[in-house]
Amino acid sequence: MIRCFLAIDLPDALRPQLALVQGELKKSRGDVRWVAVGNIHLTLKFFGNVPDTEIDPLTQAAREVAAQQEPFKLQVTAAGAFPNMKSPRVIWLGLGGDVIPLAQMYHKLEKAFAALGHLPEGRAFNPHLTLGRVKSPANRHRLALALEQLPPLNWPPFQVNEIILFKSTLTPKGSIYTPLQAIPLGK
């Protein structure tokens, strides 16, 4: 069995900015399990544990969808939280830019994976980069305030040329993500 997910990885140039945002939010002393900056990505589909024999069919389905999608640009827009800013459980950065092509590709991927027995998400697609998950209510109010007080994120857009199937290995020190297949966009 392989624990895996399909994602858009981020350019290394964004990582220092992500670290700065996390650093500002950490000052709130909220009880948050922060995602390692090197692991932050845009998840397109989390498969969980799948038999080794499913990796090739999943990769092929992703390749067929990706071949129909020209590269596009995304841009980090603003910080947010699920379920909301007042009671954050998941801290994230939203994405803008070419979100229509992104959403179209996402829905085609969901359809292709559903044909292989991987049911679609039960909620609307909301492209975001997870920064951390709140573990307890300790300092949650201060964390919410820190989120609201973040300055505007006027970061340059980044080009998306591929999607990646990652293996996720759980360890006591956090997850380790290993690329299994890089799948280029466009023909």
Side-chain angles (χ1 to χ4, degrees):
M1 296 292 265
I2 297 176
R3 186 173 196 264
C4 60
F5 61 92
L6 187 69
I8 293 172
D9 203 6
L10 302 177
D12 288 340
L14 278 184
R15 307 263 178 220
Q17 293 164 293
L18 294 167
L20 285 173
V21 170
Q22 279 186 337
E24 281 303 306
L25 296 174
K26 286 176 182 179
K27 291 176 185 176
S28 70
R29 295 204 168 120
D31 188 15
V32 178
R33 185 174 60 247
W34 297 102
V35 176
V37 171
N39 280 357
I40 297 173
H41 60 271
L42 169 58
T43 302
L44 296 171
K45 181 71 173 177
F46 179 73
F47 297 106
N49 290 318
V50 298
D52 297 22
T53 55
E54 280 189 39
I55 297 299
D56 285 344
L58 289 175
T59 302
Q60 186 56 37
R63 275 189 200 290
E64 289 169 13
V65 172
Q68 302 166 28
Q69 176 60 58
E70 290 303 313
F72 53 90
K73 289 188 176 183
L74 295 176
Q75 185 171 17
V76 175
T77 55
F82 296 132
N84 58 58
M85 295 282 271
K86 295 287 183 213
S87 183
R89 285 225 171 85
V90 176
I91 310 299
W92 50 261
L93 296 178
L95 293 168
D98 296 331
V99 292
I100 292 174
L102 170 63
Q104 290 170 337
M105 181 179 71
Y106 170 83
H107 291 296
K108 288 176 186 172
L109 287 165
E110 283 284 60
K111 188 174 181 182
F113 297 140
L116 296 173
H118 294 273
L119 299 178
E121 280 284 325
R123 55 183 174 246
F125 179 56
N126 184 350
H128 66 278
L129 308 173
T130 299
L131 296 179
R133 292 175 179 81
V134 177
K135 297 191 295 186
S136 79
N139 290 322
R140 186 179 284 170
H141 175 72
R142 289 178 61 185
L143 177 62
L145 195 61
L147 264 172
E148 290 173 9
Q149 292 176 344
L150 277 176
L153 305 175
N154 192 17
W155 299 357
F158 60 93
Q159 182 80 14
V160 177
N161 295 313
E162 65 184 8
I163 54 180
I164 300 175
L165 184 66
F166 283 97
K167 175 182 177 181
S168 174
T169 306
L170 300 177
T171 74
K173 294 188 180 207
S175 298
I176 298 171
Y177 301 151
T178 308
L180 293 175
Q181 292 284 333
I183 303 163
L185 299 184
K187 298 199 187 293

